[in-house]
Amino acid sequence: MTKIGIILGSTRPGRNGEAVARWVHDVAKQRSDAQFDLIDLLDYKLPHLDEAYPPSMGQYSQPHTLRWAETIASYDGFVMVTPEYNHSTSGALKNAIDFLYSEWNNKAVAFVSYGSVGGTRAVEHLRLIAGELQMADVRSQVALSLFTDFENFSVFKPGDHQRDTLNVTLDQVVAWSKALAPLRQS
């Protein structure tokens, strides 16, 4: 069965991302077209990139990198849940992405973002990064506004239409993950 990892891309205390990622996971678990797992960056305790060789060489030496690589390698695609900080993604998510290379290749990626303008600028940056990592980013994305999808900017209450958008996004990431399977096997 196709495996999709839902990456919670914020490690900040009091993060809004945890409620968002759990919502994505709850909606995804109701589907039967793939297995969906929640991957919380807090569980990996990745320091700033500390490998001696570039990730593209695949010569990982640190135990935390090896554990992270094993996790990411086991998935066919991803949904990245990202906040928008200063017109980009979180440093924690960018750092986690930068630790690896081949483990990301030929996999689909979708985005669920949140921020004052829905986190769309963070996703713009992530799409560029995905291209460099040979990932196929799907068109549909969920953009959650702190003004309309959160109460007092901190209690997650997505609009009803967001669930429909999320399902379209999940449809696309599952379809692309399956379509890319032959490339991952070669």
Side-chain angles (χ1 to χ4, degrees):
M1 176 170 274
T2 301
K3 286 180 61 179
I4 306 296
I6 300 165
I7 299 175
L8 172 46
S10 173
T11 58
R12 184 180 61 81
R15 59 193 174 162
N16 286 329
E18 187 168 359
V20 174
R22 291 195 187 288
W23 171 72
V24 171
H25 191 228
D26 288 345
V27 171
K29 285 189 311 187
Q30 296 174 19
R31 301 168 62 100
S32 61
D33 55 351
Q35 174 186 324
F36 295 89
D37 299 320
L38 186 56
I39 303 168
D40 189 341
L41 292 183
L42 272 178
D43 295 335
Y44 290 86
K45 308 289 186 219
L46 295 169
H48 285 137
L49 183 57
D50 62 348
E51 290 288 342
Y53 294 101
S56 60
M57 295 181 76
Q59 296 180 19
Y60 309 135
S61 63
Q62 301 294 333
H64 52 261
T65 309
L66 294 168
R67 180 174 172 246
W68 181 235
E70 183 179 348
T71 297
I72 296 306
S74 72
Y75 288 92
D76 301 302
F78 302 94
V79 176
M80 293 186 183
V81 177
T82 182
E84 181 175 313
Y85 298 152
N86 301 314
H87 289 222
S88 192
T89 192
S90 70
L93 180 56
K94 177 66 166 81
N95 186 58
I97 292 168
D98 288 347
F99 260 93
L100 308 175
Y101 180 71
S102 65
E103 294 79 4
W104 300 115
N105 295 171
N106 301 315
K107 296 181 180 180
V109 63
F111 303 102
V112 175
S113 58
Y114 57 96
S116 58
V117 292
T120 56
R121 296 170 295 200
V123 172
E124 288 175 357
H125 288 179
L126 287 167
R127 288 184 190 282
L128 292 171
I129 295 163
E132 182 61 22
L133 294 172
Q134 301 181 55
M135 297 181 85
D137 59 308
V138 302
R139 182 181 184 278
S140 181
Q141 77 179 65
V142 180
L144 301 160
S145 169
L146 288 175
F147 296 101
T148 59
D149 293 302
F150 292 83
E151 192 174 273
N152 297 319
F153 303 102
S154 61
V155 178
F156 184 51
K157 296 197 174 186
D160 293 338
H161 68 285
Q162 297 291 17
R163 184 183 183 94
D164 294 337
T165 304
L166 175 57
N167 273 309
V168 170
T169 303
L170 294 172
D171 288 345
Q172 291 180 6
V173 78
V174 169
W176 278 91
S177 294
K178 289 177 179 179
L180 291 167
L183 295 177
R184 290 191 300 277
Q185 293 168 359
S186 59

